[in-house]
Amino acid sequence: MKIVMIGAGNVATNIAKTLAKIGETPAQIWSRTLASAEALAETVDSCATSDWNSVMKDADVYIVSVKDDAMLDVIEQLCSRCKHGVFVHTAGTMSMSLFTGKAEHYGVLYPMQTFSKQKEVNFRTIPCFVEASDQQTLDIIMELARLLSDNVRELKEADRKWLHIAAVFSCNFANVCNTMAAKILERHGLDFNVMLPLLDETVAKLHRLHPKEAQTGPASRGDVGVVGKHLALLEGDKELSEVYSVLSDYILKNRV
Amino acid sequence: MKIVMIGAGNVATNIAKTLAKIGETPAQIWSRTLASAEALAETVDSCATSDWNSVMKDADVYIVSVKDDAMLDVIEQLCSRCKHGVFVHTAGTMSMSLFTGKAEHYGVLYPMQTFSKQKEVNFRTIPCFVEASDQQTLDIIMELARLLSDNVRELKEADRKWLHIAAVFSCNFANVCNTMAAKILERHGLDFNVMLPLLDETVAKLHRLHPKEAQTGPASRGDVGVVGKHLALLEGDKELSEVYSVLSDYILKNRV
């Protein structure tokens, strides 16, 4: 498969490295900044460009992995020059219809994971969700996705939206609860690292139990006495006490 | 050290097993239900009782690991019969003063972890927080704690309260965010397991980054457009949209 990568950020880097490992190195990497394209191209032994006119026109697949707010402009630039092949973006929140009227065969390959350039992830375990403009294109994007991951399925945009909201709860909101914990600990001379064994175990439990069954703590025991004491202690911090109150109410009302 | 365990629940089981492994098997295990005491005693090759009058009177340390709401009654029963030795409870939320007037030497050994009987944890990595009625007792509880863990420190009740609140944010609140994610996914025919690689990576990042630096998602990018779209989608669920709104506001206002 002749692949051109559009983008050299966190997602593009992880995709390119994974493809290179199985001998499917992208033929070319485009990035707005040549230095970024070159850095990634060097790592995977590919070619770099930042010039739209130099992007190869005979690729089988163009994988567009750029920031959401650059996506529309990048797709316009790309599709005004390259007409053949399959065009796929990797953004969980963006519609496949970004390509409509600009390309003939297109779709989405959304790898649901939080990526960083520095930390390589095991792509084979990452759930990848695929959508396509037509059956033939779906087959090609599925083939590409299976090069990357053992966990591939089709998912229409209407459901991918909900998947993305769920990921916001599981990842972003869970993480901000840790930010609040860090704030509390640091105020009292304790380092956030002290929480790490508890965090590890909390997630390890979710590999065996549904989160409802894994729930612990005062609210899940219905211990409104402790909940009240905590709220009294947090009284001086309006933001933290609001979060404490809303989440404890939810746990109290939805107890198993 | 001659140790008597009062309790045979999740915490007591993990403590007894850890002590047994290093040749410090508790001399006796008391539980309200004889069957529970016997089950644990058999596992670690110790003696079981459910009779207060049979509890050994010559132990060096009595470790009280029972549910918070049983704690006061258990301490009264225990201390009315056994006078010598050091008395320690393992509850993060309970005051050391539960022992005041009932025992001479007492304290707290709080292992900050979420325990279950079925799943053995590596106690050596668990942060243990110790408090004692006097210096001599502190030395003894410290010695006991160091048999269990490599991560032991003194912490007064006033600060332990905050540690416990922080643990509620990090563990209980992060977990309930996953319950909400599961609810959303299951409504759309997706299994919660699809989130596991994302959860693993989210926590793995916290081993290297402060949670503030690890924050991702629409609110942390200041992308109020996506936040608004998500809130519109969640409109039909008052509870979920309230949580989404409160937590996104917090992230938006506390961006790095």
Side-chain angles (χ1 to χ4, degrees):
Chain A
M1 213 179 259
K2 187 169 182 177
I3 298 165
V4 168
M5 293 284 330
I6 306 295
N10 297 340
V11 180
T13 298
N14 277 276
I15 290 178
K17 282 184 177 173
T18 305
L19 289 171
K21 255 188 218 157
I22 53 160
E24 294 278 355
T25 306
Q28 190 182 36
I29 290 154
W30 175 93
S31 171
R32 195 174 50 82
T33 16
L34 185 61
S36 301
E38 280 174 342
L40 178 53
E42 200 171 305
T43 315
V44 297
D45 197 17
S46 177
C47 303
T49 183
S50 63
D51 174 8
W52 280 121
N53 294 313
S54 307
V55 173
M56 293 173 178
K57 294 190 168 48
D58 60 341
D60 298 307
V61 185
Y62 296 86
I63 305 177
V64 184
S65 289
V66 298
K67 285 195 176 136
D68 286 8
D69 52 11
M71 191 71 86
L72 193 60
D73 181 52
V74 161
I75 287 173
E76 267 170 14
Q77 295 290 339
L78 173 67
C79 293
S80 69
R81 288 167 178 85
C82 305
K83 289 285 168 204
H84 302 290
V86 164
F87 296 81
V88 44
H89 76 64
T90 59
T93 46
M94 307 292 274
S95 171
M96 165 171 88
S97 68
L98 289 180
F99 291 107
T100 311
K102 303 184 187 83
E104 200 178 338
H105 302 291
Y106 53 86
V108 177
L109 192 175
Y110 172 43
M112 203 191 57
Q113 184 52 286
T114 170
F115 294 101
S116 51
K117 279 189 197 181
Q118 296 75 23
K119 183 154 183 293
E120 226 167 294
V121 294
N122 177 11
F123 222 112
R124 298 234 66 79
T125 65
I126 299 175
C128 289
F129 299 91
V130 167
E131 194 185 8
S133 55
D134 55 275
Q135 186 59 47
Q136 187 195 340
T137 306
L138 183 65
D139 293 344
I140 295 170
I141 304 180
M142 279 286 190
E143 192 188 330
L144 171 67
R146 290 197 186 106
L147 291 176
L148 295 162
S149 166
D150 295 323
N151 193 348
V152 177
R153 70 189 83 185
E154 195 185 352
L155 193 75
K156 303 282 187 209
E157 188 182 327
D159 288 326
R160 195 174 65 242
K161 275 183 192 168
W162 289 105
L163 179 72
H164 187 248
I165 294 185
V168 167
F169 277 89
S170 268
C171 171
N172 306 154
F173 290 170
N175 189 74
V176 80
C177 291
N178 284 308
T179 304
M180 298 178 210
K183 191 178 175 186
I184 293 167
L185 289 169
E186 286 156 13
R187 271 186 199 154
H188 294 86
L190 288 159
D191 194 277
F192 177 71
N193 285 341
V194 92
M195 284 290 153
L196 292 176
L198 181 60
L199 296 190
D200 290 342
E201 186 64 16
T202 301
V203 167
K205 279 166 87 175
L206 296 179
H207 282 259
R208 297 175 297 121
L209 299 171
H210 191 278
K212 259 197 155 171
E213 296 160 345
Q215 190 66 50
T216 55
S220 79
R221 289 193 303 271
D223 190 343
V224 290
V226 169
V227 170
K229 276 183 202 164
H230 283 179
L231 280 170
L233 280 164
L234 288 168
E235 213 174 30
D237 190 319
K238 214 185 133 200
E239 285 184 328
L240 291 191
S241 58
E242 190 183 10
V243 170
Y244 191 102
S245 172
V246 167
L247 292 177
S248 291
D249 274 358
Y250 185 91
I251 298 172
L252 280 164
K253 283 180 194 153
N254 293 276
R255 283 199 289 153
V256 180
Chain B
M1 211 181 259
K2 186 168 185 177
I3 298 166
V4 168
M5 292 285 328
I6 305 296
N10 298 340
V11 181
T13 298
N14 276 276
I15 290 179
K17 281 183 177 174
T18 305
L19 288 171
K21 254 189 219 158
I22 54 159
E24 294 279 354
T25 305
Q28 191 182 35
I29 290 155
W30 174 94
S31 172
R32 193 173 52 80
T33 17
L34 186 59
S36 301
E38 279 174 344
L40 178 54
E42 200 172 306
T43 316
V44 297
D45 197 16
S46 177
C47 304
T49 183
S50 63
D51 173 8
W52 279 121
N53 294 314
S54 307
V55 173
M56 294 174 177
K57 294 190 167 47
D58 60 342
D60 297 308
V61 184
Y62 296 86
I63 305 177
V64 183
S65 290
V66 297
K67 287 197 175 133
D68 285 9
D69 52 11
M71 190 71 86
L72 193 61
D73 180 52
V74 161
I75 287 174
E76 267 169 14
Q77 295 290 339
L78 173 68
C79 294
S80 68
R81 288 167 178 87
C82 305
K83 288 285 167 205
H84 302 290
V86 164
F87 296 81
V88 44
H89 76 63
T90 59
T93 46
M94 307 292 275
S95 171
M96 166 171 88
S97 68
L98 288 181
F99 291 106
T100 311
K102 302 184 189 82
E104 200 178 340
H105 302 291
Y106 54 85
V108 176
L109 192 175
Y110 173 44
M112 203 190 59
Q113 184 52 284
T114 170
F115 294 100
S116 50
K117 278 189 197 179
Q118 296 75 20
K119 183 156 183 292
E120 226 167 293
V121 294
N122 176 11
F123 222 113
R124 298 234 66 79
T125 65
I126 299 175
C128 289
F129 299 91
V130 168
E131 193 186 8
S133 55
D134 55 277
Q135 187 59 47
Q136 188 196 338
T137 306
L138 183 65
D139 293 343
I140 294 169
I141 304 180
M142 278 285 189
E143 193 189 329
L144 170 68
R146 289 198 187 104
L147 290 176
L148 295 163
S149 167
D150 295 323
N151 193 349
V152 176
R153 69 190 85 184
E154 195 185 351
L155 193 74
K156 302 282 188 208
E157 188 182 327
D159 287 327
R160 195 174 66 241
K161 276 183 192 168
W162 288 104
L163 179 72
H164 186 249
I165 293 184
V168 167
F169 277 88
S170 268
C171 171
N172 306 153
F173 290 170
N175 189 74
V176 80
C177 291
N178 284 309
T179 304
M180 297 179 210
K183 191 178 174 186
I184 293 166
L185 290 169
E186 287 155 13
R187 270 186 199 155
H188 294 86
L190 288 160
D191 194 279
F192 178 71
N193 284 342
V194 93
M195 285 291 153
L196 293 177
L198 182 60
L199 295 191
D200 290 343
E201 186 62 16
T202 302
V203 167
K205 279 166 88 176
L206 296 180
H207 282 259
R208 297 175 296 120
L209 298 171
H210 190 277
K212 258 197 154 170
E213 295 158 347
Q215 190 67 49
T216 55
S220 79
R221 289 193 303 272
D223 190 341
V224 290
V226 170
V227 170
K229 276 183 203 164
H230 284 178
L231 281 170
L233 280 164
L234 288 169
E235 214 174 30
D237 190 320
K238 215 185 132 201
E239 285 185 327
L240 291 192
S241 58
E242 189 183 12
V243 170
Y244 191 102
S245 173
V246 167
L247 292 177
S248 291
D249 275 358
Y250 186 91
I251 298 172
L252 280 164
K253 284 183 193 152
N254 292 277
R255 283 199 291 152
V256 181

